[in-house]
Amino acid sequence: MNSATDTVLEQSVLGSRRLSNLLVAAAVSIGGIGFLLASASSRLGRDLLPVGHAADLIWVPQGLVMGLYGIAAVLLATYLWLVIVLDVGSGINRFDRASGEALIRRRGFRQTIEVAIPLRDIQAVKVEVRDGLSPRRRLSLRVQGRRDLPLTRVGEPMPLAEVELAGANLARFLGVPLEGL
């Protein structure tokens, strides 16, 4: 979502609250609970799962290993749900011509990360497009004396037309060249 006036351009950045992350966290949670129930079924000799016959598993080593897998999955699921609840990675890109400053803000685990850049230090808006096994489509700022500063969300690649349009609009607003196309 973008909002713009003559002097301010503000872009919101999607964080970890995406459908794909919710589905992965749910699948890992269900799998972890399933492994723990299979392990408990093996130890107690009673089927605690509605499918299969986990009580027939030998406790050592099968039931024990299933329990370890279950613990690992539950810990991973806890981490994934925490990242989703905190919405890590969400934030804003705010470009203010009146104050002459760009503010990039992202939510982290324990704190908010803010980077303020004078607009005069921005040399260009860079569009990175890489297709293949691990595709990348992102916008970044080329800043004098610093590494390129990414502006778009991490994870799912944005459609190419959307990246190009956002880059062109930002470059036009800032009055800098658009690189990478």
Side-chain angles (χ1 to χ4, degrees):
M1 178 180 169
N2 296 336
S3 63
T5 64
D6 291 341
T7 60
V8 177
L9 173 66
E10 191 168 294
Q11 304 167 325
S12 62
V13 178
L14 181 66
S16 58
R17 287 188 190 155
R18 294 191 303 255
L19 179 61
S20 61
N21 289 349
L22 290 169
L23 293 174
V24 168
V28 171
S29 298
I30 292 168
I33 291 169
F35 273 107
L36 286 176
L37 287 175
S39 177
S41 295
S42 171
R43 180 72 176 134
L44 300 174
R46 286 191 345 224
D47 281 326
L48 300 176
L49 287 169
V51 294
H53 300 288
D56 295 340
L57 295 173
I58 302 167
W59 168 242
V60 175
Q62 292 170 326
L64 188 61
V65 170
M66 296 274 265
L68 293 174
Y69 284 151
I71 291 169
V74 166
L75 290 174
L76 177 61
T78 302
Y79 168 77
L80 293 172
W81 286 114
L82 182 65
V83 166
I84 291 168
V85 166
L86 294 176
D87 199 17
V88 173
S90 66
I92 61 162
N93 303 326
R94 181 180 170 85
F95 304 94
D96 189 350
R97 281 193 245 178
S99 68
E101 188 173 78
L103 178 69
I104 312 301
R105 180 182 299 145
R106 298 291 184 273
R107 182 174 292 176
F109 273 108
R110 293 183 285 181
Q111 63 188 8
T112 300
I113 301 160
E114 284 188 9
V115 176
I117 303 164
L119 291 180
R120 67 180 178 278
D121 289 350
I122 298 174
Q123 297 175 329
V125 175
K126 184 177 175 185
V127 176
E128 293 180 58
V129 177
R130 184 178 69 199
D131 290 322
L133 205 50
S134 63
R136 173 187 287 182
R137 293 181 184 149
R138 75 175 188 175
L139 284 178
S140 56
L141 291 178
R142 179 151 307 202
V143 182
Q144 181 178 350
R146 294 186 183 192
R147 296 183 323 174
D148 290 350
L149 187 65
L151 297 176
T152 51
R153 66 181 183 242
V154 176
E156 329 167 327
M158 296 172 26
L160 185 57
E162 188 178 323
V163 173
E164 290 174 347
L165 181 62
N169 288 339
L170 180 58
R172 190 176 312 111
F173 181 82
L174 295 173
V176 296
L178 181 64
E179 293 181 353
L181 290 179

